[in-house]
Structure formats: C-alpha cells, structure tokens
Amino acid sequence: MTGTIIAIASGKGGVGKTFFSISLATALAQNNRRVLLFDGDLGLANVDIQMGVVPQNDLSLLLREDVDPMSLVEHNKETGIDFLAGPSGSDTYANLSAGELTLLAKKLEKLRAHYDDIIFDLSAGVSKTVSILASSADKILMLFTPDPTSLTDAYACVKVFHQKKVSDRVSLIVNMALDRVQAAKTCDTLLRACQTFLQIKPPYLGFVPRDSHVTMAIRAQKPLLLHAPNCAATKAVRDIAQSLDLD
Ligand SMILES: Nc1ncnc2c1ncn2[C@@H]1O[C@H](COP(=O)(O)OP(=O)(O)O)[C@@H](O)[C@H]1O
Ligand SMILES: [Mg+2]
C-alpha cells in the first residue's frame, strides 16, 4: 500500500483548512479508506480542538530518529480517523530548523505504507514549514473564500508553489461561498490571474457553501460529518472526496 499525501493549504488563515481537513478525512474514512490526519499547523495546532480530542502522545518524539512514527499515531473511534495532533498552544514545533522539518517530512512519508490517504492540515501562507511539507505531498488542495484578501493571498501562494515547481499538484477549492455561482466566479478570478501571469490552470475541484452547521459543529467540538451528516457543507465535502479520484 502506498498512501496518497494530500496537503490542505491556503494563502490566508481562517479560510477553513482545519474544518476541511477533518471533514475530508472523515468522509474518506467513512468510505472505508485508512486515513491519517496530521496537524501540520505546527505553531497553532488545533485539529484536537475541532475534533474534541485530547492528544496523549508527545509529538516532539516524531523528531527522534529512533522513534517509529506509527507508535505516536492515535485513533479516533467516532470518525474512524487515525491522527497525529499536538496539544494546542504547544510550542514544540513552532520554530523547527530546515533539517528538523526535512526529518519530520521523511518520517511522515514512511507512514504511506500504512494508509490509503494521509492528510496534512497546513498553516496559512508559504513558510519554510509549508513548503517542506507540501513538497512531499502528491496533491495540494488550495482553499480560499470569496473574500478578496483570501483570493489575493491564494494567488501569492500558488505563485510560490509554481516557483518551487509543485504547482502541477495544486487543485482549487472555494470555501464559504454563498452558492455555486459565487464559487465559480471566485475561482474564475483566481484562474484568470494564474493563466495571465503564470500560464497555468490548476483544476477546480468544487466548493463548500457557507453553512451555519459548520460553526455549530466547531462550537460543539464535533466533526461536521457526525454533527450534521446531511447538511449542505457535509454533502459538498463528500462530493469533493469523490472528485479527488483516489485509487
Ligand atoms: N463552510 C463554512 N461555513 C461556515 N463557516 C465556516 C465554513 N468553513 C469555515 N468556517 C468558519 O471559519 C472558521 C475558521 O475555520 P478553520 O478551519 O479554523 O480555518 P483555518 O484552519 O484555515 O484557519 C471556523 O471557526 C468556522 O466558524
Ligand atoms: Mg487551522
């Protein structure tokens, strides 16, 4: 088995990466896939908060050559997801050197042998951490919203991925759109900039509507797909999981 690494990226923070990572991971696990979710927002980890779990393992051990990363994985029965998440607010990871980040990425890549899909919930922007983790990903899902600053930052991010020669792995997802029309318009704006200035056209995977169930699920610290299994945002995430066309 060789799992696909799917990195969830964005230009701006607060566009829904963590919500989307947990929801996508749950959707894939519900399709009987073996899924690992890694909280890669190293300074501001909050997968645990949104999932309502308290991580038991010390993730700083991931940086030790002699520690098998599989021994640090925890399982969440409700969603069926395995996860590697640090406690929120922990600074274990906040300032890793390039060498440490490369070791971390290598360790995570070893886990491909155990999973169908490995999802990285990245931090916003293109820090050293994001570029090292994204470079080991097979797919980079760029999330953005109709908010103009989110669009501008998404373009800046795609541009850096293009310079780093990984833009061919990027696909686009619009989150928090009012409807399909607004989502398509938002995506078009980004695509026009990509085509004009970078001569690339990343595929549009779809959109997740703005849905009050998302906020309610996060407040309840429950994964959306369990909290509101039939809401519009859940359905949209399931559709996107299908359109990823994973083996
Ligand atoms: N589809 C959506 N509909 C409504 N609210 C959303 C949606 N996606 C995200 N949000 C809101 O955006 C906030 C930020 O989401 P989060 O996943 O923490 O973003 P990020 O990880 O990108 O910083 C959430 O607390 C939630 O209230
Ligand atoms: Mg986040």
Side-chain angles (χ1 to χ4, degrees):
M1 189 193 289
T2 311
T4 309
I5 297 183
I6 306 167
I8 314 299
S10 77
K12 194 172 176 281
V15 303
K17 283 182 304 304
T18 300
F19 142 70
F20 184 78
S21 299
I22 295 169
S23 303
L24 177 66
T26 309
L28 293 169
Q30 288 180 346
N31 288 342
N32 295 318
R33 299 178 66 86
R34 293 204 60 191
V35 182
L36 175 73
L37 173 59
F38 171 67
D39 193 338
D41 194 348
L42 305 183
L44 293 165
N46 53 25
V47 161
D48 57 327
I49 301 288
Q50 286 200 28
M51 276 179 67
V53 296
V54 181
Q56 302 300 317
N57 289 334
D58 174 5
L59 286 198
S60 63
L61 293 174
L62 261 182
L63 296 171
R64 283 212 353 221
E65 291 278 3
D66 58 331
V67 173
D68 175 2
M70 216 38 213
S71 68
L72 300 171
V73 166
E74 298 182 44
H75 183 68
N76 180 252
K77 262 205 194 128
E78 283 187 299
T79 53
I81 306 173
D82 277 3
F83 65 91
L84 276 171
S88 314
S90 144
D91 62 359
T92 312
Y93 268 154
N95 294 302
L96 297 186
S97 67
E100 286 171 317
L101 286 165
T102 306
L103 173 65
L104 174 66
K106 247 200 221 154
K107 289 225 155 192
L108 292 168
E109 286 202 45
K110 278 200 185 142
L111 295 173
R112 282 179 192 270
H114 301 271
Y115 293 96
D116 297 309
D117 312 304
I118 300 181
I119 296 175
F120 290 176
D121 176 18
L122 298 179
S123 46
V126 257
S127 58
K128 183 172 64 182
T129 308
V130 168
S131 36
I132 291 175
L133 290 176
S135 66
S136 58
D138 305 288
K139 294 176 186 282
I140 302 171
L141 308 188
M142 176 65 62
L143 234 71
F144 54 106
T145 74
D147 165 14
T149 54
S150 149
L151 256 172
T152 321
D153 293 356
Y155 171 70
C157 217
V158 174
K159 187 175 162 187
V160 175
F161 284 138
H162 188 57
Q163 286 159 351
K164 296 197 178 291
K165 312 225 177 307
V166 295
S167 60
D168 54 338
R169 304 172 198 175
V170 172
S171 306
L172 308 177
I173 295 173
V174 178
N175 187 24
M176 296 194 238
L178 291 178
D179 54 28
R180 184 172 303 277
V181 175
Q182 189 194 38
K185 253 191 180 165
T186 301
C187 192
D188 265 0
T189 309
L190 180 57
L191 278 175
R192 244 180 289 135
C194 291
Q195 283 176 293
T196 308
F197 302 112
L198 310 173
Q199 288 79 49
I200 58 169
K201 192 181 178 194
Y204 174 39
L205 273 188
F207 77 102
V208 181
R210 180 177 282 283
D211 182 338
S212 57
H213 292 95
V214 175
T215 323
M216 289 189 283
I218 292 175
R219 288 220 182 107
Q221 291 185 264
K222 267 267 201 186
L224 177 75
L225 273 69
L226 305 180
H227 188 78
N230 298 310
C231 75
T234 290
K235 287 186 180 144
V237 174
R238 288 196 203 285
D239 286 347
I240 291 171
Q242 287 296 338
S243 64
L244 281 173
D245 209 15
L246 298 161
D247 322 315

